[in-house]
């Protein structure tokens, strides 16, 4: 073993962060913590408001007609359609002969309520609209126009439930929210109510009568019906008109609907019904007219008015936000599906293609320099060096000890392995260590790997074969997780095989590889010099270097059977730190090389193809992908749970197909894929948060310091998979 003193020239320093004084950093840290919490609280609030104000709408359902009254006073059962239980002595009001009250349930609706109102206004006919709080909060402008036209407003609960099946507190909440919506939309309070699914007083049973008495105690006058048009069934305009026409000159409270479905037949029926009844001498009135009062509504005070306005505004914002979120979900879902299809198609083509020969060049057999930057890698360095020493390709191994304090350099020397050189230097960061190693290299081909990485004997030889083509400046190998025995390791194993290596096949085929992994990459020394060597400008020096090579005009290849096993983080804390640095560094590198978008040649190809793919699939789509999980949770709570579960399983199935195909191409066993569903539930959420934090860090302008991960040295070299040769 040779030991060389450090005679390297001045080296670029590692990425610098702010000074280690806590006070200046606190606002920046608060920004990265407070903003996600605020966004999460906003999204949760929006979905809760939207879910509650749209859940359980049950329009287009038949009322409870035709059942005999039980436990109801005869005076009520045989009385009129308006029941007043606000006093100790309940009473009813009948509809006088030649009098009709046109009532409309389930609105307001932005389409049908204005059309029905237009017909009523044209004929000077008053209408009584029993509105739900949900619809009122969603369409306050529609209700305001109805009120301004002088029509009567009644309460039809908030979400249209069967009140006889609800607790007293649920009933109170239904009524209070509806009154809140009325206050916010029109500044009114209504004492008129129609219970959902009610029909005539003669159809009341004991439970409904008990409910009617309790509603009377709250000050509500109840409106039932004389004639049901069943217009919700859409039997035809003629049938609706006939059902709404009283017989023998009798009066009637007529039930129609202005929401809950297509009400075009109702509008058409009114155009015939009103002139017909007017010609027969009928007059039109409201429920208040039957009771003998001017109105059953009253203005609210200032406090209730502003409370209602806040409530209506919250519903409006929620509806708008959910619409936007749904649109984004459609975009994200389409991108995810398109990415999966693109990856599978291109990966299949990549695996089946035969790369053109090296143009008469012989296989690359000349020696290679291997550079290993090491800082406090005592636990890992023995396995790494022994795996390289067993290489079936001639190698020169250079270990650059970057200021280790745990005896890494001494341990590397004590192994007494042939062709291993240890270079010691003060701590300057990974880019500086790599540059030192490259300058010390004796050969024109340089392989770089991390000190926690283990190579197969054939890795170096396979990795350098593409250099037979003089246009190739760098080659990426196939990095795998070497410590996959625990659940977190399995999740990362799936991610490496499915996410990273499938992507590299696609990028290789499109000739726009964005990253040569630091764990296994080979470079032509001339290409490194053209790219300016390894830069310390970003925290993702491998991505930065790869992009610089593209811009320098060099081609980059991917060799999937050049295998390396690296140590993945063994705790969520370490994983967070690693991916946080990766995400932020990738953004830094993309921004640094943004001018490639306007360049020509290989640089322009990378700029106009590689950078957009990187931005869409590694930043934009993952950043919005949580919408899938958020709306899945929303669907479980407020929607159809079965449909939601089936949709989520469909997304998971697409992911599983991609993962299975990626494992097949890499010659990996499918057994670890049992952890895929759990990975989607837990691991993916962590990645979302990491990317969000990285984006906020970039927006805030804070530069992360270099963060070294703790090593365990538990990388295990598994049997080599039968990877398809490319």
């Amino acid at each position: 073993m040779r030991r060389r003193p450090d005679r390297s020239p001045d080296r670029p320093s590692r990425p610098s962060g702010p000074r280690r004084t806590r006070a200046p950093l606190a606002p920046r840290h608060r920004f990265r913590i407070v903003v996600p919490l605020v966004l999460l609280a906003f999204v949760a609030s929006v979905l809760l408001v939207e879910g509650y104000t749209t859940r359980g709408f049950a329009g287009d359902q038949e009322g409870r007609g035709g059942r005999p009254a039980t436990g109801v006073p005869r005076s009520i059962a045989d009385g009129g359609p308006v029941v007043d239980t606000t006093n100790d002595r309940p009473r009813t009001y009948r509809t006088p002969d030649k009098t009709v009250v046109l009532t409309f349930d389930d609105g307001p609706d932005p389409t049908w309520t204005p059309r029905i109102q237009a017909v009523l206004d044209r004929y000077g006919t008053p209408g009584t609209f029993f509105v739900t709080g949900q619809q009122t909060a969603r369409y306050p402008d529609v209700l305001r126009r109805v009120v301004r036209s002088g029509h009567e407003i009644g309460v039809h609960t908030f979400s249209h439930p069967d009140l006889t099946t609800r607790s007293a507190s649920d009933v109170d909440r239904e009524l209070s929210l509806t009154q809140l919506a009325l206050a916010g939309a029109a500044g009114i309070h209504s004492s008129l109510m129609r219970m959902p699914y009610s029909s005539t007083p003669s159809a009341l049973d004991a439970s409904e009568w008990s409910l009617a008495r309790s509603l009377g105690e709250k000050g509500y006058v109840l409106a039932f019906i004389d004639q049901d048009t069943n217009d919700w069934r859409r039997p035809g305009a003629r049938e609706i008109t006939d059902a709404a026409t009283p017989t023998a000159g009798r009066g009637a409270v007529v039930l129609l609907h202005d929401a809950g479905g297509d009400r075009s037949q109702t509008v058409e029926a009114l155009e015939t019904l009103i002139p017909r009844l007017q010609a027969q001498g009928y007059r039109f009135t409201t429920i208040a007219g039957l009771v003998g009062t001017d109105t059953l509504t009253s203005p609210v005070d200032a406090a209730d008015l502003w409370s209602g306005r806040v409530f209506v505004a919250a519903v409006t914002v929620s509806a708008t936000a959910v619409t936007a979120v749904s649109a984004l979900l459609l975009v994200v879902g389409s991108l995810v599906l398109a990415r999966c299809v693109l990856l599978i198609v291109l990966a299949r083509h990549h695996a089946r293609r035969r790369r053109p020969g090296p143009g008469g060049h012989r296989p690359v057999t000349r020696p290679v320099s291997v550079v290993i930057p090491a800082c406090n890698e005592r636990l890992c360095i023995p396995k790494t060096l022994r795996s390289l020493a067993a290489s079936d390709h001639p190698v020169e191994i250079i270990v650059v000890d970057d200021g280790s304090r745990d005896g890494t350099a001494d341990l590397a020397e004590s192994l007494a392995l042939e062709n291993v050189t240890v270079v010691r230097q003060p701590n300057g960061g990974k880019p500086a260590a790599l540059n030192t190693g490259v300058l010390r290299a004796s050969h024109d081909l340089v392989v770089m790997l991390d000190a926690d990485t283990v190579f197969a004997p054939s890795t170096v030889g396979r990795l350098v074969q593409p250099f037979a083509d003089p246009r190739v400046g760098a080659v990426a190998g196939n990095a795998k997780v070497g410590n996959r025995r625990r659940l977190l390791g399995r999740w990362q194993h799936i991610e490496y095989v499915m996410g990273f290596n499938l992507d590299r096949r696609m990028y290789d085929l499109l000739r726009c590889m964005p990253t040569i992994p630091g764990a296994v990459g080979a470079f032509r020394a001339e290409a490194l010099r053209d790219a300016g060597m390894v830069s310390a400008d970003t925290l993702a020096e491998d991505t930065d270097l790869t992009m610089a090579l593209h811009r320098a005009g060099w081609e980059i290849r991917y060799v999937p059977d050049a295998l390396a096993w690296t140590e993945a983080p063994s705790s969520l804390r370490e994983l967070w730190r690693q991916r946080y640095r990766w995400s932020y560094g990738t953004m830094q590198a993309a921004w640094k090389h943004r001018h490639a978008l306007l360049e020509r040649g290989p640089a322009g190809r990378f700029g106009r193809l590689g950078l957009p793919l990187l931005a869409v699939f590694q930043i934009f789509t993952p950043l919005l992908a949580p919408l899938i999980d958020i709306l899945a949770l929303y669907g479980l709570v407020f929607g159809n749970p079965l449909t939601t579960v089936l949709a989520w399983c469909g997304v998971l199935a697409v992911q599983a197909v991609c993962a299975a195909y990626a494992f097949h191409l890499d010659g990996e066993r499918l057994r670890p894929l049992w952890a895929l569903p759990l990975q989607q539930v837990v691991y993916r959420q962590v990645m979302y948060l990491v990317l969000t934090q990285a984006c906020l860090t970039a927006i805030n302008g804070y530069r992360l310091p270099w963060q070294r991960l703790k090593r365990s040295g538990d990388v295990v070299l598994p049997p080599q998979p039968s990877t398809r040769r490319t």
Side-chain angles (χ1 to χ4, degrees):
M1 174 181 294
R2 304 185 307 274
R3 173 177 173 179
R4 296 181 181 177
D6 179 21
R7 300 191 302 269
S8 61
D10 293 340
R11 300 177 300 275
S13 61
R14 61 177 174 175
S16 59
R19 297 179 182 273
R20 294 183 177 274
T21 54
R22 293 187 178 274
L25 291 180
R28 298 180 183 272
H29 288 300
R30 284 198 298 269
F31 176 83
R32 300 199 307 273
I33 295 173
V34 171
V35 171
L37 290 178
V38 170
L39 289 175
L40 180 61
F42 173 76
V43 172
S45 300
V46 161
L47 293 179
L48 285 173
V49 171
E50 175 68 8
Y52 192 80
T53 55
T54 57
R55 177 171 63 105
F57 183 78
D60 289 358
Q61 296 194 34
E62 188 173 5
R64 296 180 177 182
R67 295 187 306 173
T70 58
V72 181
R74 179 59 58 184
S75 61
I76 301 298
D78 296 339
V82 180
V83 179
D84 183 358
T85 61
T86 57
N87 298 315
D88 293 336
R89 298 181 61 183
R91 61 174 299 184
T92 66
Y93 298 88
R94 294 185 180 275
T95 312
D97 292 344
K98 291 289 185 176
T99 301
V100 169
V101 180
L102 297 178
T103 66
F104 304 90
D105 284 8
D106 299 344
D109 181 270
T111 300
W112 303 113
T113 301
R115 296 187 185 184
I116 289 172
Q117 178 192 334
V119 176
L120 296 176
D121 292 346
R122 187 163 63 252
Y123 290 104
T125 302
T128 300
F129 292 82
F130 290 95
V131 300
T132 66
Q134 287 180 343
Q135 295 293 95
T136 299
R138 290 174 64 86
Y139 309 109
D141 292 340
V142 177
L143 183 73
R144 279 194 287 270
R145 289 194 293 269
V146 172
V147 173
R148 282 197 295 266
S149 293
H151 299 287
E152 187 174 47
I153 302 298
V155 172
H156 201 44
T157 71
F158 187 78
S159 60
H160 204 284
D162 183 352
L163 294 181
T164 61
T165 65
R166 298 299 181 93
S167 66
S169 60
D170 284 344
V171 173
D172 289 341
R173 183 165 56 251
E174 287 283 331
L175 298 176
S176 62
L177 287 177
T178 305
Q179 296 291 0
L180 195 61
L182 289 176
I188 62 173
H189 176 280
S190 177
S191 300
L192 175 62
M193 180 179 180
R194 174 175 284 162
M195 296 186 296
Y197 311 115
S198 63
S199 57
T200 64
S202 62
L204 290 171
D205 60 20
S207 62
E208 291 171 317
W209 173 241
S210 176
L211 177 61
R213 292 299 301 268
S214 67
L215 292 173
E217 293 173 358
K218 300 177 189 299
Y220 287 99
V221 175
L222 302 181
F224 295 89
I225 64 173
D226 289 310
Q227 293 183 217
D228 188 353
T229 62
N230 287 316
D231 64 332
W232 62 273
R233 294 180 182 272
R234 303 184 71 243
R238 181 175 179 179
E239 286 76 7
I240 295 172
T241 302
D242 292 342
T245 303
T247 59
R250 297 174 181 173
V253 173
V254 180
L255 173 61
L256 298 152
H257 294 82
D258 64 327
D262 184 351
R263 297 292 171 244
S264 58
Q265 292 182 1
T266 302
V267 176
E268 184 181 351
L270 287 173
E271 295 279 8
T272 303
L273 176 66
I274 295 175
R276 174 192 291 182
L277 293 179
Q278 287 176 338
Q280 295 177 8
Y282 277 85
R283 74 180 183 92
F284 294 90
T285 187
T286 62
I287 299 296
L290 296 185
V291 175
T293 183
D294 293 335
T295 181
L296 290 171
T297 60
S298 59
V300 297
D301 58 28
D304 289 340
L305 176 64
W306 284 104
S307 296
R309 287 178 176 175
V310 169
F311 177 71
V312 170
V315 173
T316 302
V317 170
S318 298
T320 304
V322 169
T323 300
V325 167
S326 300
L328 287 175
L329 178 64
L330 180 62
V331 173
V332 171
S334 301
L335 288 175
V336 169
L337 181 60
R339 178 179 182 271
C340 289
V341 172
L342 185 65
L343 284 177
I344 290 178
V345 171
L346 294 183
R348 179 178 176 83
H349 182 62
H350 184 275
R352 291 193 167 199
R353 74 170 182 172
R354 292 183 177 274
R355 192 182 297 280
H361 294 277
R362 296 180 179 180
V364 177
T365 59
R366 60 186 184 273
V368 174
S369 296
V370 179
V371 176
I372 309 171
C375 180
N376 298 326
E377 302 285 1
R378 182 180 180 87
L379 292 176
C380 305
I381 200 69
K383 287 184 180 180
T384 301
L385 292 179
R386 290 190 177 103
S387 72
L388 290 170
S391 176
D392 56 15
H393 192 94
V395 295
E396 170 198 35
I397 304 170
I398 303 172
V399 178
V400 182
D401 182 79
D402 191 47
S404 297
R405 298 184 301 274
D406 66 347
T408 297
D410 294 335
L411 179 60
E413 290 174 339
S414 68
L415 296 176
L417 296 174
E418 187 177 359
N419 294 329
V420 174
T421 301
V422 176
V423 178
R424 302 171 187 256
Q425 68 176 31
N427 182 257
K430 185 177 180 180
L434 288 171
N435 287 330
T436 296
V438 172
L439 293 174
R440 299 285 183 149
S442 304
H443 307 293
D444 66 326
L445 298 182
V446 179
V447 172
M448 298 180 185
L449 72 155
D450 295 330
D452 63 337
T453 302
V454 176
F455 274 19
S458 60
T459 298
V460 174
R462 292 175 176 177
L463 193 61
V464 299
Q465 292 311 307
F467 288 115
D469 185 343
R471 298 171 299 175
V472 175
V475 180
N478 190 341
K480 294 179 174 291
V481 174
N483 53 331
R484 61 182 78 164
R485 288 173 294 183
R486 296 182 179 179
L487 184 59
L488 187 59
R490 289 192 182 96
W491 286 342
Q492 293 176 86
H493 172 48
I494 295 172
E495 181 186 28
Y496 270 63
V497 175
M498 176 185 174
F500 299 157
N501 292 329
L502 264 189
D503 282 351
R504 289 194 181 99
R505 288 179 182 272
M506 175 185 72
Y507 288 126
D508 186 33
L509 203 61
L510 299 177
R511 291 165 37 195
C512 59
M513 184 82 62
T515 304
I516 298 173
V520 52
F523 303 85
R524 199 183 296 273
E526 179 186 356
L528 288 173
R529 290 190 292 270
D530 288 346
M533 302 295 283
V534 184
S535 172
D537 291 342
T538 73
L539 292 178
E541 77 290 333
D542 46 5
T543 301
D544 186 4
L545 176 59
T546 308
M547 294 181 179
L549 288 168
H550 279 294
R551 298 185 68 188
W554 292 94
E555 289 194 9
I556 298 172
R557 301 277 175 82
Y558 171 56
V559 181
D561 56 357
L563 304 178
W565 288 265
T566 187
E567 181 178 330
S570 56
S571 70
L572 285 176
R573 177 181 176 83
E574 294 297 309
L575 177 66
W576 180 287
R577 294 175 64 187
Q578 182 194 67
R579 299 311 170 84
Y580 191 11
R581 178 174 60 83
W582 285 5
S583 299
Y584 186 59
T586 299
M587 294 177 195
Q588 286 179 309
W591 180 254
K592 175 182 177 180
H593 296 283
R594 65 191 182 278
H595 299 296
L597 289 166
L598 305 177
E599 295 173 347
R600 297 180 179 180
R605 179 182 180 84
F606 169 75
R608 286 182 288 276
L609 187 59
L611 282 179
L613 286 174
L614 182 72
V616 170
F617 291 135
Q618 293 191 32
I619 299 176
F620 178 74
T621 302
L623 198 61
L624 296 180
L627 295 176
I628 297 175
D629 301 302
I630 291 173
L631 291 184
L633 184 61
Y634 173 85
L636 289 175
V637 176
F638 295 111
N640 187 321
L642 179 59
T643 302
T644 301
V645 170
L646 290 176
W648 191 86
C649 289
V651 175
L652 179 62
V654 172
Q655 298 286 335
V657 169
C658 286
Y661 188 63
F663 272 60
H664 168 69
L665 289 181
D666 264 20
E668 294 282 353
R669 296 179 180 178
L670 299 181
R671 183 177 179 181
L673 291 181
W674 68 263
L676 181 62
L678 192 58
Q679 182 203 44
Q680 300 299 300
V681 174
V682 180
Y683 183 83
R684 193 171 62 178
Q685 317 308 318
V686 176
M687 296 300 101
Y688 294 157
L689 294 174
V690 167
L691 184 58
T692 301
Q693 286 274 295
C695 289
L696 291 173
T697 300
I699 293 172
N700 198 28
Y702 173 60
R703 187 170 187 180
L704 285 175
W706 188 271
Q707 298 174 336
R708 182 186 176 278
L709 300 178
K710 295 181 180 179
R711 306 297 190 192
S712 62
D714 59 350
V715 173
V716 177
L717 184 66
Q720 293 191 42
S722 56
T723 308
R724 295 177 179 238
R725 297 296 296 267
T726 305

